[in-house]
Structures are given as structure tokens and as C-alpha cells.
Amino acid sequence: MSLDWIYYAISWILLTWHSVWDAIGVPATAVLGTNWSWILAIFFLVVTVRVILFPVFVKQIKSQRAMQALQPQVKALQEKHKGDRETLQKEMMELYRKEKANPLMGCLPMFLQIPVFLGLFHVLKRLNPDRGEGAKTLYNWTVDQFDSASAATLFTAPIAGKFGSTAEELARLGANGTTVKIMAGVLVLVMMGTTYLTSRQMILKTGWAEDPQQRMIQRLMLYGIPLSLLISGAIFPIGVIIYWVTNNLFTLGQQQWVLRKFPPPVTATSKPGTTSGRDGKQPAKAGGLLGRSKPAAAPPKPAAPTVAAPKPGAKPANPKKGRPAKRKG
């Protein structure tokens, strides 16, 4: 299956934003070793894609809320079918189908961005000032646009360069190998860090899933993908890493806004028996520590009758007065 439609779409968005910044008056020449019109074009490529995918992001949040609400039922199934993994998986799939929850929805926005990532990777990889005019005008680029993008830099490092660029590739781009490695290396570390933070932010707000499959996906997102970038990042052009970092920063801001506006239900992360009240405070546990009940308080003793003190100047009362006299034997 040809992916040309992706390359044409990415090129169109990229060139449209570059034309916007040219029209506004962003300098075409490098300022501080950076061609800002191309860097801004990549940044707004991210904005365009995220706006298009915003409905999918909303569905992702709704699916995560549904998964949170099902956690008590999932845990009950785990207790019921402990040791019977096949039955457990079948029961959980039936539960998800009945409640219309999809444990894979959390990864959908990332999967939908893979074609965009691959398209930008391909477009930037082909930037080469030595190409013929026929190759330069591919995907509706003009020769001037192609030459401008091929010469575009971020702090003197070409956006088409990468950490693993060969000496021949660096020579074609007119780049310094040390500068490219330093810039690409720093950006790869930032890419790893922001990728980790986007997953950590969501897990801290929603908690670890009870479902083993869902928890495995969470661990993959939190640790697996950032670690894989340490190796794969060496083959990414600097422009692609800029796209990835910008996308991560956009995701952090978007998640923070959504999680504040629509906070996760408190009961989703509460332990059994410690559900929170409306004010978010944990109710006191009945029965004291370790389930032992406290002894009931002894009833108060009746107060002793009080005798009023005699007023000053009054004769003392005779306690024997008024008693019947004893008869003499």
C-alpha cells in the first residue's frame, strides 16, 4: 500500500504554515543559527494534528473513566477466578463488551499519530541539496522551498541531520558533525523525558489499573517507549525530534487541563472499604485497629446528693430532730 497520500498531506500542512510565517515576515535567514519559519512550521504541524485528533482524545479520556469505574468489578473477577487465567480473560472481555469499555483506547491517539510521524520522517529524510529538480518538486514542493528546508537549521544543526548521520550525509548538508551530535543528543534526552512525563502524569491522576492487560500497557507506556527512544532516537532527523518533543509538551498541557476540568472519580482509586465521602475525606474506620471493637464506655455513676451549706447566723440543723424518740426499757 502506497503511503504517498501521507507524504502529500504532511508536506501540504508543513508548506502552508511555512508560507504563513513567510507572509507575516519571519526572517528566511537564520537568526541565532536557527531558521525560525521552518521550526514554527513543524510546531504548528503538531497543533494542526492535535486539533484534528481532539475528538479522539476526548474518547480516550471517556474510555479511561469507564475503565476506572469498572475496577471494583475487575478485582472481584480476579478474586473469583484466581488461578484460571483463561476464564478470567473471557469474563473481563465480556464485562468490557457489556459496559462498552476498550482497554486499548488509551493508546489510540498515539497510534493515529504514527502515520504523521512516519510522513514527517520521510519528508525530512529526503532533504538533500544535491538532489535533481525532479526529486525536489516531489509532493508539491517548489525548488526554492526544498532548498530552503534543506538549509534550515536549529542552532546551526540542520533539521535533516541526525545523531547517526554519516560523514557523507553531513557533508551534503554542510553540517558540523559535533554540533549535530550534541544538538540531536540533547533533543533525544528531552524527547525521552517528556515521553515519560506524559504517561506518568496520567497514571498519577488515575492510578494503576487492576486489569493485568491494562497494567501491562501502562508499564509499556511509562518505561518501555522512553527506553526504546534511547536507541531509535539516533536515526530520527532533528526536525522529527522537534515534532515529538512539541507533541509531548502539547499533550502534557492538554492532559493537565482535562484532568483538572474533569477529575477522575475518587472511588476509582479508593481501596475497598475506604470509599471517600463527598468532601473527599476518608470516613473513620469502624471497630478501631485490626478490626477489634472498642469496649463500651461505663455508664456514669449517679451524683451524690448535695447538702446546702447553712446561711451565716442560722442555727445549725439538728439531724436527730424529727426522729421518733426511743422508748425506755
Side-chain angles (χ1 to χ4, degrees):
M1 179 181 177
S2 175
L3 297 178
D4 281 354
W5 67 274
I6 296 177
Y7 306 147
Y8 275 102
I10 297 303
S11 295
W12 182 82
I13 296 172
L14 202 62
L15 294 175
T16 299
W17 280 113
H18 180 259
S19 299
V20 168
W21 301 119
D22 271 349
I24 291 175
V26 175
T29 56
V31 178
L32 297 177
T34 303
N35 296 90
W36 294 107
S37 58
W38 285 108
I39 301 301
L40 288 172
I42 294 173
F43 177 85
F44 277 90
L45 169 64
V46 175
V47 174
T48 303
V49 171
R50 294 308 298 257
V51 169
I52 294 172
L53 293 181
F54 185 76
V56 179
F57 181 77
V58 172
K59 287 184 178 180
Q60 175 196 16
I61 296 297
K62 289 182 178 179
S63 177
Q64 288 173 336
R65 294 291 186 270
M67 293 298 297
Q68 287 176 285
L70 292 177
Q71 290 306 302
Q73 297 181 56
V74 170
K75 191 165 185 179
L77 288 175
Q78 290 173 339
E79 293 293 331
K80 181 179 178 181
H81 302 292
K82 187 179 295 183
D84 189 353
R85 187 175 183 83
E86 183 178 351
T87 304
L88 175 62
Q89 289 296 329
K90 188 181 298 184
E91 290 286 340
M92 286 197 300
M93 290 300 104
E94 178 62 23
L95 176 64
Y96 294 152
R97 185 195 64 78
K98 181 180 177 182
E99 300 296 335
K100 298 180 180 180
N102 187 352
L104 298 179
M105 182 61 73
C107 302
L108 185 60
M110 185 189 71
F111 288 148
L112 290 178
Q113 289 187 75
I114 289 177
V116 180
F117 173 80
L118 293 176
L120 182 61
F121 180 90
H122 176 81
V123 169
L124 294 182
K125 187 179 178 181
R126 60 181 286 272
L127 293 179
N128 179 0
D130 296 336
R131 286 183 180 270
E133 287 193 9
K136 291 181 178 181
T137 56
L138 192 61
Y139 309 133
N140 293 331
W141 288 62
T142 66
V143 174
D144 289 341
Q145 288 171 332
F146 187 91
D147 289 339
S148 174
S150 297
T153 57
L154 175 66
F155 301 117
T156 72
I159 62 173
K162 51 185 181 292
F163 188 89
S165 291
T166 64
E168 182 182 356
E169 290 172 337
L170 293 171
R172 285 201 302 264
L173 294 171
N176 179 279
T178 302
T179 302
V180 171
K181 287 186 183 298
I182 291 174
M183 184 56 60
V186 170
L187 286 175
V188 166
L189 293 177
V190 175
M191 176 173 62
M192 292 174 62
T194 52
T195 301
Y196 169 80
L197 289 176
T198 55
S199 298
R200 182 174 180 270
Q201 181 189 50
M202 185 63 72
I203 292 173
L204 286 178
K205 293 289 184 180
T206 60
W208 287 96
E210 296 288 347
D211 178 12
Q213 182 182 6
Q214 186 74 3
R215 181 171 290 217
M216 181 180 68
I217 294 173
Q218 286 179 320
R219 290 189 183 278
L220 175 64
M221 298 288 290
L222 185 62
Y223 302 115
I225 293 179
L227 288 176
S228 68
L229 295 176
L230 185 62
I231 299 173
S232 59
I235 66 172
F236 294 163
I238 287 175
V240 171
I241 303 177
I242 294 172
Y243 172 88
W244 193 306
V245 171
T246 304
N247 183 66
N248 285 344
L249 295 176
F250 198 97
T251 301
L252 284 169
Q254 192 177 56
Q255 287 183 168
Q256 183 68 15
W257 179 80
V258 170
L259 291 171
R260 280 189 176 182
K261 192 172 182 63
F262 307 103
V266 178
T267 55
T269 55
S270 300
K271 295 181 180 179
T274 59
T275 53
S276 301
R278 292 185 180 180
D279 57 354
K281 296 180 180 180
Q282 297 291 343
K285 294 183 179 180
L289 297 174
L290 302 178
R292 293 177 298 183
S293 59
K294 294 182 180 180
K301 295 180 179 181
T306 57
V307 179
K311 295 182 180 180
K315 295 182 179 181
N318 185 0
K320 296 182 179 181
K321 188 176 182 180
R323 292 184 183 179
K326 293 185 181 180
R327 294 182 180 180
K328 295 182 180 180

